[in-house]
Amino acid sequence: MSISKELYPSQDDLLFEEELLRNPFSLKLWWRYLIARLDSPFKKRFVIYERALKALPGSYKLWYAYLRERLNLVKNLPVTHPQYETLNNTFERALVTMHKMPRIWIMYLETLTSQKLITKTRRTFDRALCALPVTQHDRIWEIYLRFVEQKGIPIETSLRVYRRYLKYDPTHIEDFIEFLVNSELWQEAAERLASVLNDDRFYSIKGKTKHRLWLELCDLLTQHATEVSGLNVDAIIRGGIRKFTDEVGRLWTSLADYYIKRNLFEKARDIFEEGMTTVVTVRDFSVIFDAYAQFEDSVLKIKMENMEFSDEEEEEDGGEENGFEEDEDVRLDVNLSLAELEKKILHGFWLHDDKDVDLLFARMDHLLNRRPELANSVLLRQNPHNVEQWHRRVKIFEGNPTKQILTYTEAVRTIDPMKAVGKPHTLWVAFAKLYENHNDVANARVIFDKAVQVNYKTVDHLASVWCEWAEMELRHKNFKGALELMRRATAEPSVEVKRRVAADGNEPVQIKLHKSLRLWTFYVDLEESLGTLESTRAVYERILDLRIATPQIIINYSLLLEEHKYFEDAFKVYERGVKIFKYPHVKDIWVTYLSKFVKRYGKTKLERARELFDNAVETVCDFLLKAPADAVKPLFLQYAKLEEDYGLAKRAMKVYNQATKAVPNNEKLAMYEIYIARAAEIFGVPKTREIYEQAIESGLPDKDVKTMCLKYSELEKSLGEIDRARAIYVFASQFADPRSDGDFWNRWNEFEVQHGNEDTFREMLRIKRSVTASYSQTHFILPEYLMQKDQKLTIDDAKDKLKRAGVPEDEMAALERQLAPAANDNNTKDSSRIVGFVSAGVESQTDGGVKVTANHEDIELPDESDSEGDEEKVEIAQKDVPTAVFGGLAGKRDESEKDEEGEDAGGGGKDGESRLGALERIKRQKRG
């Protein structure tokens, strides 16, 4: 074989060749030679590699570089090319000395894998595992497993490889299980998965929990029930049901699906029923019930389709069947197949009847009708002490008394009153009413008798049972029995029983029953309706002795005594009530007591009535801070009416005055209006001036002060006191912002138009401008919502708002000086706001202020006024005093004159004077 001239060393190669001749075993020289000929054809480099490896067969560097170039050479060639065979031979030569090098093995194995040489590749993998140490097997197994997962690899080969790998590293069992599932090897996959779950030391490298692996096993067993054998599927899934409570519904349906796949339909129904009767959550119940209903529906559809198909076959085979004799034995026909023979033998047998559609329909309807009962059972399994769910269960069986009685019996046996959610006594009552509605009163009494012996959580529950029992007796006209029941219920336990219970340490509610207010209230109602007065009074007295009475019971007891004309005894009961209770509970007793007393005795026992009212008012004042303030007003009005009707008018006014100080701020205006109206009616309009002044200075809210000032000015105007009315308007102007309260300024404007002059009108306009400027400065930095109508801020309010907003103290002080009313500065001549109030006796202010009440229109009298003729010629116009000035006295004057005429005609004496009221006595004293 001739060698090509290209392979011979060139002139440039002589230098490397001479050095190699001197030292042929130098790796450095060979490597420099290869680097220098990097651009030469591979054939020439091939010769250099072969020469170098012949001299240095143990050089990993040379072998690795040589094999890399060999791989690059066949990179784009088909696997059938002869170069692959050369490459494999080269790898085999390299492995003679490089068999401990894993990188060489990996390159060789990857090359064989790409060539699809299954047998050779498998054997090479085995050689590599034998040649390399165990610490380097991971690198080989990774490629090995990738090789056996390729398509076309015999499944048995893959299984053997995986089994060997699991002996090397058992932690990758999940990969093997995944491979088995992908390969549809369900039997071994289930066995391997079961062994993993049974291994307590197993740790999933993929992060799967035991719960997830268990669900995968259940799905595998149920979906491939016919392919998997040798495992107790029922026990496995039931173990999961006991262990994993959050997937109970899914596991029950999986177990039922397993039996459905194996055509064991009745067993599947049993599983569904067992699941519905054991789950404790509505979600699991819904999953099982929906799966059960879907199963029954699918079975029904399949059965109906099979019926249609079998009917067609019977029509086709009808002629053939007619050919057989009726008495012919089909077992003797050897031409029939096993399926046909079975069909003919079992034809018409009721247990093998295919036409059982009606039975399936009945099953479906029965299942749907049972859903409310089954769902209720689930809720009761969650909490068997839920009273409301037991009531709903009874309602489900409405129309079936037997079921209802059994349900009530189970309920009262199951529920523990101390753990009950709801009111357990209602079950006993409803149980008894069930018998009562069916006219079985004797058994209803038995139920009630057992119910009152139960130790309930609260006394009120036991009292309710006694009351219901008594009401049942009343419905059946057994009045004597109802009273006897109440006497039994309210009887106090003996000392021996109390001592025995105290020794046990567990006190039942029956010991406290005799103090149940509900029971005593019902008992006293029965006594009032059915008993005598003495028995009823005994019951009321017993209630008071037990200290369980309420204000309503006190009032009822007193009304009972009044109905039977025991007035003094009724008042004694009221007295006991006001001593027992405090404010505000005693309010109703006082109001009722006082009204009844006044109505009964009137003015005959006036001093005693006053003493009662004083006591009530004193009680109010003592507890005013604790009691609701709205309870004060009715008491004062009642007291004042007593004095007006039977007592002294001055005492009535004193009561009204005291009431205005006791009522809350939001009712002071209404109380002052009542006070003013009564004073005007009794003593005349001028008497109300002091009340108006008192109201304005009493600390009413600004809005109410303005209202009171307007009414006061109207009074002064009606009396002709124009200057006083104007002064009141000036005082009230500081509470009326012209921008939001135009009604006040319009009324002042009308007043000045009617009664003023040019100077007073200008003064009003000046005050209006001053007030407007004052409010503008006050609201300059305040929020906009505070400038709305009827929300006027004083300087103190503004300071509080600014303080909460975080404004420094020095800025607030400057603002306060800016907003201070000009009236406080006596040296300012333009001051227009009057902070003080002009009392009734003041006519004008000092020269420093504005004259608001002085008459500016002075009348000039003539210098010579001594002549009598001139005095005679002067005519002074007279004006009648308004009738309202005298109040009710003017109206009663005529009546009193008529009464005197009647007394003079018919005779009168001291007895007549003793019957006179407060107003009449005042009138006579004034006339006298």
Side-chain angles (χ1 to χ4, degrees):
M1 181 177 179
S2 60
I3 301 175
S4 175
K5 293 183 179 182
E6 296 177 354
L7 302 179
Y8 282 98
S10 62
Q11 191 68 27
D12 297 334
D13 298 337
L14 294 179
L15 179 62
F16 296 104
E17 291 290 344
E18 290 176 357
E19 292 179 355
L20 289 173
L21 287 174
R22 287 192 294 269
N23 189 7
F25 302 105
S26 175
L27 174 63
K28 188 175 182 179
L29 294 177
W30 287 108
W31 192 252
R32 287 171 58 190
Y33 194 7
L34 290 171
I35 295 297
R37 296 296 170 260
L38 192 62
D39 297 332
S40 300
F42 177 74
K43 289 183 179 181
K44 189 171 183 178
R45 292 172 57 79
F46 163 73
V47 173
I48 298 173
Y49 272 119
E50 288 291 342
R51 289 171 57 196
L53 290 172
K54 186 175 182 181
L56 299 170
S59 175
Y60 171 77
K61 188 173 184 179
L62 289 174
W63 277 114
Y64 184 77
Y66 185 29
L67 293 173
R68 291 297 302 172
E69 291 195 24
R70 279 284 186 183
L71 287 173
N72 292 332
L73 182 65
V74 301
K75 186 176 182 180
N76 297 322
L77 298 177
V79 295
T80 57
H81 198 278
Q83 285 290 343
Y84 274 99
E85 185 66 27
T86 305
L87 176 63
N88 295 339
N89 292 333
T90 305
F91 270 113
E92 291 291 343
R93 287 192 296 117
L95 289 174
V96 173
T97 56
M98 297 289 107
H99 58 278
K100 296 297 182 182
M101 299 299 172
R103 187 64 228 167
I104 304 297
W105 281 108
I106 291 173
M107 292 170 60
Y108 187 24
L109 294 171
E110 288 178 347
T111 303
L112 291 177
T113 301
S114 63
Q115 297 177 39
K116 306 297 183 182
L117 302 175
I118 298 175
T119 303
K120 187 174 183 179
T121 304
R122 179 177 56 81
R123 291 175 178 175
T124 305
F125 271 115
D126 294 341
R127 287 169 51 201
L129 292 173
C130 292
L132 293 174
V134 179
T135 55
Q136 296 180 349
H137 281 194
D138 284 338
R139 305 173 68 180
I140 304 300
W141 276 114
E142 182 180 356
I143 310 170
Y144 204 176
L145 295 178
R146 198 161 58 239
F147 163 70
V148 297
E149 288 177 356
Q150 291 180 341
K151 292 183 179 180
I153 305 299
I155 191 66
E156 190 62 32
T157 300
S158 301
L159 290 176
R160 289 180 180 273
V161 170
Y162 262 109
R163 288 167 186 159
R164 287 175 55 197
Y165 175 61
L166 290 180
K167 292 181 180 179
Y168 166 72
D169 187 2
T171 60
H172 287 76
I173 183 67
E174 293 174 88
D175 295 331
F176 184 35
I177 294 172
E178 185 177 352
F179 170 76
L180 293 174
V181 172
N182 294 333
S183 302
E184 298 183 357
L185 299 175
W186 316 115
Q187 180 67 35
E188 188 170 357
E191 292 175 355
R192 293 282 182 174
L193 196 53
S195 64
V196 164
L197 291 171
N198 291 329
D199 187 5
D200 295 333
R201 297 174 297 176
F202 173 76
Y203 175 76
S204 174
I205 60 175
K206 293 188 175 183
K208 293 183 179 181
T209 61
K210 283 287 188 73
H211 179 221
R212 183 177 176 183
L213 293 173
W214 197 282
L215 294 179
E216 289 180 0
L217 176 60
C218 293
D219 293 339
L220 184 64
L221 294 175
T222 55
Q223 293 174 5
H224 308 283
T226 56
E227 291 89 348
V228 178
S229 61
L231 293 176
N232 191 349
V233 179
D234 191 283
I236 291 173
I237 297 181
R238 287 182 183 275
I241 291 172
R242 289 189 298 270
K243 191 172 184 180
F244 306 108
T245 56
D246 56 338
E247 294 287 347
V248 173
R250 178 181 173 185
L251 293 175
W252 278 115
T253 54
S254 298
L255 182 57
D257 289 341
Y258 169 76
Y259 287 111
I260 292 172
K261 293 284 180 64
R262 305 195 66 174
N263 294 327
L264 300 175
F265 296 148
E266 293 301 327
K267 183 66 175 177
R269 289 188 178 95
D270 294 340
I271 296 299
F272 279 126
E273 292 289 342
E274 183 180 357
M276 288 190 299
T277 55
T278 55
V279 293
V280 294
T281 63
V282 178
R283 180 176 64 87
D284 293 334
F285 168 76
S286 300
V287 171
I288 299 173
F289 185 86
D290 294 341
Y292 193 6
Q294 186 177 2
F295 162 69
E296 292 289 356
D297 183 62
S298 60
V299 170
L300 183 60
K301 289 180 180 179
I302 294 172
K303 183 66 67 173
M304 294 180 69
E305 292 175 359
N306 292 339
M307 281 184 58
E308 295 176 358
F309 182 72
S310 62
D311 291 342
E312 293 177 358
E313 285 186 350
E314 287 180 1
E315 291 178 359
E316 293 177 359
D317 299 341
E320 298 178 1
E321 291 180 358
N322 292 334
F324 292 103
E325 295 181 1
E326 294 182 358
D327 57 349
E328 184 179 358
D329 192 353
V330 296
R331 293 175 293 178
L332 300 178
D333 190 356
V334 296
N335 296 324
L336 294 175
S337 63
L338 182 61
E340 293 175 348
L341 180 63
E342 181 181 357
K343 179 180 178 181
K344 290 185 177 294
I345 291 176
L346 298 177
H347 180 70
F349 186 47
W350 68 273
L351 192 59
H352 195 262
D353 188 9
D354 292 336
K355 300 179 181 180
D356 55 351
V357 180
D358 294 338
L359 176 61
L360 295 177
F361 270 117
R363 278 179 173 170
M364 191 72 178
D365 293 339
H366 181 60
L367 176 63
L368 297 177
N369 294 333
R370 287 167 55 215
R371 175 162 189 150
E373 177 187 353
L374 294 171
N376 180 264
S377 299
V378 173
L379 296 175
L380 287 177
R381 281 194 293 274
Q382 288 181 359
N383 184 9
H385 306 291
N386 193 328
V387 177
E388 180 61 27
Q389 293 302 329
W390 282 109
H391 281 295
R392 292 180 181 179
R393 187 173 185 83
V394 173
K395 192 174 182 180
I396 291 173
F397 300 125
E398 191 171 357
N400 190 350
T402 304
K403 279 269 192 182
Q404 288 181 325
I405 291 174
L406 293 176
T407 304
Y408 275 127
T409 305
E410 184 182 1
V412 297
R413 288 178 179 175
T414 304
I415 290 180
D416 183 0
M418 297 301 171
K419 301 178 182 178
V421 178
K423 299 178 179 179
H425 72 278
T426 56
L427 286 171
W428 287 100
V429 173
F431 195 6
K433 285 185 177 179
L434 179 64
Y435 280 108
E436 182 188 359
N437 294 335
H438 290 80
N439 298 323
D440 191 353
V441 182
N443 278 326
R445 291 192 180 100
V446 173
I447 297 300
F448 273 121
D449 187 56
K450 292 181 179 180
V452 297
Q453 299 174 17
V454 177
N455 185 17
Y456 298 99
K457 188 184 297 184
T458 62
V459 179
D460 189 61
H461 292 172
L462 180 58
S464 299
V465 176
W466 280 102
C467 294
E468 291 289 345
W469 191 358
E471 287 181 359
M472 185 193 74
E473 298 294 346
L474 292 176
R475 285 194 294 270
H476 292 82
K477 311 299 181 183
N478 187 9
F479 306 120
K480 185 177 180 181
L483 286 173
E484 184 61 29
L485 282 176
M486 289 296 101
R487 293 190 186 98
R488 281 178 53 193
T490 56
E492 185 176 359
S494 62
V495 178
E496 182 182 354
V497 173
K498 290 182 178 180
R499 188 183 299 112
R500 186 167 61 250
V501 170
D504 294 340
N506 186 13
E507 187 179 28
V509 293
Q510 283 77 7
I511 299 298
K512 307 175 185 177
L513 181 63
H514 68 284
K515 291 187 177 182
S516 172
L517 180 60
R518 180 174 183 177
L519 202 62
W520 281 104
T521 304
F522 187 83
Y523 185 19
V524 78
D525 289 342
L526 281 184
E527 286 290 352
E528 287 187 19
S529 303
L530 306 175
T532 61
L533 176 62
E534 296 301 325
S535 62
T536 308
R537 291 188 65 175
V539 174
Y540 273 118
E541 291 296 333
R542 182 59 179 160
I543 293 175
L544 293 175
D545 293 340
L546 290 174
R547 298 180 181 272
I548 58 174
T550 62
Q552 188 60 46
I553 289 178
I554 298 293
I555 295 173
N556 292 342
Y557 188 14
S558 302
L559 292 177
L560 174 69
L561 295 174
E562 288 179 15
E563 289 178 2
H564 293 83
K565 310 301 180 183
Y566 291 90
F567 296 104
E568 286 300 327
D569 291 343
F571 294 149
K572 289 180 181 179
V573 173
Y574 281 124
E575 290 289 345
R576 294 175 66 180
V578 298
K579 291 179 181 178
I580 293 173
F581 297 100
K582 303 296 181 182
Y583 235 83
H585 310 291
V586 76
K587 182 194 70 172
D588 295 332
I589 300 178
W590 271 122
V591 172
T592 308
Y593 181 21
L594 295 173
S595 60
K596 294 290 184 181
F597 189 87
V598 172
K599 182 179 179 181
R600 170 66 179 168
Y601 293 108
K603 62 182 179 180
T604 57
K605 293 187 178 182
L606 186 59
E607 290 303 324
R608 182 179 173 186
R610 285 174 176 167
E611 183 181 354
L612 291 176
F613 273 106
D614 289 337
N615 190 9
V617 170
E618 183 181 357
T619 306
V620 171
C621 296
D622 290 342
F623 294 94
L624 188 58
L625 297 177
K626 300 178 182 179
D630 55 353
V632 179
K633 185 177 177 181
L635 200 58
F636 279 104
L637 293 179
Q638 194 174 1
Y639 190 8
K641 191 174 186 306
L642 171 70
E643 294 293 348
E644 290 180 14
D645 293 342
Y646 306 109
L648 299 175
K650 289 184 178 180
R651 293 182 65 90
M653 293 300 103
K654 182 180 178 181
V655 173
Y656 281 122
N657 187 19
Q658 188 178 0
T660 56
K661 299 175 183 177
V663 295
N665 290 334
N666 59 343
E667 290 188 358
K668 279 189 176 182
L669 178 62
M671 195 68 232
Y672 270 113
E673 289 176 351
I674 297 173
Y675 186 12
I676 292 169
R678 301 308 301 161
E681 183 179 351
I682 297 174
F683 295 106
V685 175
K687 181 66 176 177
T688 60
R689 282 177 172 165
E690 299 176 1
I691 305 175
Y692 275 114
E693 294 173 6
Q694 177 187 345
I696 293 171
E697 296 175 353
S698 64
L700 286 172
D702 292 348
K703 185 178 179 181
D704 295 340
V705 170
K706 182 181 62 178
T707 304
M708 190 62 66
C709 288
L710 289 174
K711 293 183 178 181
Y712 192 10
S713 64
E714 290 295 331
L715 170 66
E716 295 293 354
K717 186 173 68 173
S718 64
L719 296 177
E721 296 288 345
I722 303 302
D723 291 336
R724 292 176 59 82
R726 184 177 292 111
I728 296 171
Y729 274 114
V730 173
F731 175 78
S733 63
Q734 62 181 321
F735 305 108
D737 186 359
R739 296 172 301 177
S740 59
D741 196 357
D743 181 60
F744 171 81
W745 295 96
N746 292 334
R747 294 181 65 175
W748 193 1
N749 187 26
E750 294 175 0
F751 171 79
E752 293 295 345
V753 170
Q754 293 178 4
H755 306 285
N757 53 33
E758 184 176 354
D759 294 336
T760 59
F761 195 84
R762 286 179 180 175
E763 182 67 17
M764 180 199 71
L765 295 178
R766 190 185 66 77
I767 293 174
K768 184 175 182 180
R769 288 193 299 270
S770 177
V771 173
T772 303
S774 176
Y775 272 95
S776 299
Q777 293 173 358
T778 304
H779 295 166
F780 182 73
I781 61 173
L782 294 181
E784 183 179 354
Y785 71 91
L786 293 175
M787 299 175 64
Q788 297 177 359
K789 187 176 180 178
D790 295 334
Q791 291 186 351
K792 311 300 182 298
L793 289 177
T794 62
I795 294 176
D796 294 336
D797 295 334
K799 288 173 62 179
D800 294 338
K801 295 290 183 182
L802 293 172
K803 194 172 184 179
R804 287 195 293 269
V807 178
E809 293 291 338
D810 53 353
E811 295 184 14
M812 286 197 295
L815 181 62
E816 180 181 1
R817 290 194 299 271
Q818 180 184 358
L819 300 181
N824 293 335
D825 189 1
N826 296 329
N827 298 325
T828 304
K829 294 182 179 181
D830 296 334
S831 174
S832 60
R833 296 194 61 189
I834 300 174
V835 180
F837 181 71
V838 181
S839 63
V842 178
E843 294 182 356
S844 62
Q845 291 184 355
T846 60
D847 296 338
V850 179
K851 296 180 179 180
V852 294
T853 58
N855 191 356
H856 296 284
E857 299 179 359
D858 296 335
I859 301 174
E860 296 181 1
L861 298 176
D863 295 337
E864 296 180 358
S865 57
D866 297 333
S867 65
E868 296 179 358
D870 294 338
E871 291 180 358
E872 292 177 357
K873 292 180 180 179
V874 176
E875 295 180 359
I876 300 174
Q878 295 184 356
K879 184 178 180 181
D880 295 336
V881 179
T883 308
V885 173
F886 301 103
L889 299 177
K892 295 182 178 180
R893 179 179 57 193
D894 298 334
E895 297 178 2
S896 62
E897 291 177 355
K898 292 180 181 180
D899 294 338
E900 288 179 357
E901 292 176 359
E903 291 175 0
D904 294 339
K910 296 182 180 179
D911 296 336
E913 293 179 356
S914 63
R915 292 192 296 270
L916 295 177
L919 298 179
E920 189 61 27
R921 290 197 297 271
I922 292 172
K923 187 239 338 164
R924 290 200 171 187
Q925 289 174 5
K926 287 183 178 181
R927 276 210 313 268

